[in-house]
Amino acid sequence: MIEFVAHNLAPIMFGSLVIFLLLGYPVAFSLAANGLLFFIIGVELAPLSPDINLFWPLLGALPDRFFGGVMANETLLAIPFFTFMGLILERSGMAEDLLDTIGQLFGPLRGGLAYAVIFVGALLAATTGVVAASVIAMGLISLPIMLRYGYDRRLASGVIVASGTLAQIIPPSLVLIVLADQLGRSVGDMYSGALVPALVLTSLYVGYVFILTMLRPNVAPALPPEARTLGRGVTSLAIAAAAAVVIAYAMTVYLDGKVAQGAGIWGATVAVVAVYVVAVANKALKLPLMSYLTQQVIIVLIPPLALIFLVLGTIFLGVATPTEGGAMGAVGALILAFGKRKLNLSLMTQAMESTTKLSAFVLFILIGARVFSLTFYGVNGHVWVEELLTSVPGGETGFLIVVNILVFFLAFFLDFFELAFIIVPLLAPAADKLGIDLIWFGVLLGLNMQTSFMHPPFGFALFYLRSVAARVPYLDRITGKRMEPITTGQIYWGAVPFVCIQIIMVALTIMFPQMVMRYKTEVPQMDPSEIRLQMPSFDGGLGLPPLGGASGTGGNQQNNPLGLPPLGLPPVGEPGAPAGGPSAPAQPGTTAPAQPAFGLPPLNFNSGLGGSQAPATGTAPAAPAAEPEAPTAPSGEPAPVDLSQPPVIQ
């Protein structure tokens, strides 16, 4: 029995962790306690199994894993920045203004309020990145309005829950930051890869509402005329949008070539600023340039869009890292709150307290995961998981199907942070071994883990909406009618269609990986047979002095534009030049070899080598002769070695 436990310690350890979590113990302490408990067991059982590599001094690696691996991780700094930014925006009233204005814009359409909730949910996701803030804000603001005008309770609650969870996948998502950290990939690449799937998912939500309103018009009626307080003016809004496009195109053409990069971005920025200035001037001076609806839409919509560009635009352009983008977003949120006159000490205190709680929650889970992984890797648990997953029938496709089913069902019980810190580090090595791109794999897991917020009965987004939805009958403050409460069953059933849409999105991401793989820079491939090397032409030579003769004389002047002295080498074919190569003639009356033409001392390898002069080309080798004496210079010293002749070694 003991030997069986020793040889199967990894699966026993993983199963024990699942039991601890199902019993309701805090995740961070379950991870740490499970890791330390099995570390003790593993050290005692190490002599019985070669798969256990645990020993007591290994505990000394924990401080380095805490301080060097967790505390020094700059990527995780983006989590408190984006959390603080989202809480400031949520408490400054931006969500309320957006929902009211966009709801008025889409009000004349059937399902207009649902469209507005989805659109505002995407905007809040791109500015806050916090699911709780989005769901609670839209539940408090839009749910009473939707019920007031006769929306089906299941559709209303489902749209709010699903739109709030868009903060999971739309950058700057906290989930994507954690996934990038656990997969060892760039947060910027993860953001870029998740952008298109997030937009497609938002479009699927809109498509579901559109189809439902076509089939059942009564579930989402249009706003009555008396509820449209901003009046009409869609034509004016279309004209303003067309003017912005024209300005953006003109500025892009003008700036093309005048800026290093991003001429289109600068052109769009100038157009948006111009339209915003006109709207503010129209409101301040009461000008008849645009309708009241257009004016309000522009004034309310552009500041959060500018904040999105400040955060995501700088990251995608490579100007700022995600951590720096989060810091700029936090400053931008404070500026927007100050502009709305909502920035005060109470707001700052609440935002900082919530940010500290969430950051500490993430940090303690990560520390517990480091303790667990130290023991789990010590018992070769990663090898067990890798072999288990890579041996799934179907290769890469079978692996993806099994992993997504596993994550889908684990999401019923675990939060996305718990999944990211426990499951993802075990799945990543197997995915990498199968050749799966880890950015694509991370986005796929992010889409799957997004369902953890909508799963009945443990979805956190369902709990957030349940906390703000009416539990008892109440009187509507506008119409005075008695309104029935929202039941928990209605919230659960409203989320089910959007969970199905989420599964469809996971399947689409597997079928069309280029939605994510667009983050890669395309490198043009070239056929090696088409490569051609072309030497540059040097008209007039390289500017070197002539090989002999005086500088600046005769025709040598045009080949010596720099006026350098001659190299002392007579041209081939002139008197004194040898026929076989560029060496200077021997000086008459001397026994030493002539100095080379390049001014180098002669080199003779005959001395000390026992060799002789190399025979001429095409002649038979001569018989060995007596070793000649080393030539001497006129001064009696040995002659320098002649470098102008090749050495001969016998």
Side-chain angles (χ1 to χ4, degrees), residues 93-108 112-113 116 119-120 141 145 223 229-231 237 292-302 340:
M94 185 190 74
E96 183 176 355
D97 294 341
L98 281 172
L99 281 169
D100 181 59
T101 304
I102 305 302
Q104 292 286 333
L105 179 63
F106 290 107
L113 288 178
F119 184 75
V120 173
I141 300 166
I145 299 175
L223 285 180
T229 58
L230 296 183
L237 182 61
Y292 184 68
L293 174 64
T294 303
Q295 167 189 301
Q296 288 301 110
V297 168
I298 293 175
I299 292 177
V300 171
L301 194 59
I302 285 183
K340 295 176 67 65

Side-chain angles (χ1 to χ4, degrees), residues 198-249:
L199 296 177
V200 174
L201 181 61
T202 306
S203 302
L204 290 178
Y205 288 169
V206 173
Y208 168 72
V209 173
F210 176 77
I211 294 174
L212 194 62
T213 54
M214 291 294 103
L215 299 177
R216 299 171 57 193
N218 295 330
V219 299
L223 285 180
E226 60 272 13
R228 305 171 195 170
T229 58
L230 296 183
R232 299 181 178 180
V234 180
T235 304
S236 176
L237 182 61
I239 294 174
V245 171
V246 171
I247 295 174
Y249 177 76

Side-chain angles (χ1 to χ4, degrees), residues 42 56 67 98 113 155 169 176 180 230-231 239 270 272 374-375 378 470 474 482 490 541 566:
W56 292 116
F67 294 99
L98 281 172
L113 288 178
L155 175 63
I169 196 62
L176 297 178
L230 296 183
I239 294 174
V270 171
V272 170
L374 177 68
T375 304
Y474 66 96
R482 185 178 185 272
Q490 290 171 339

Side-chain angles (χ1 to χ4, degrees), residues 576 583-597:
S583 59
Q587 301 297 325
T590 62
T591 59
Q595 296 290 332

Side-chain angles (χ1 to χ4, degrees), residues 62-77 181-182 359-360 362-371 373 421:
L62 284 179
D64 181 66
R65 292 171 70 87
F66 294 160
F67 294 99
V70 178
M71 301 298 184
N73 192 340
E74 296 184 359
T75 302
L76 297 178
L77 278 175
D181 176 69
Q182 294 299 306
S359 302
V362 174
L363 190 64
F364 271 92
I365 290 181
L366 188 54
I367 289 175
R370 289 303 176 101
V371 179
S373 65
F421 288 134

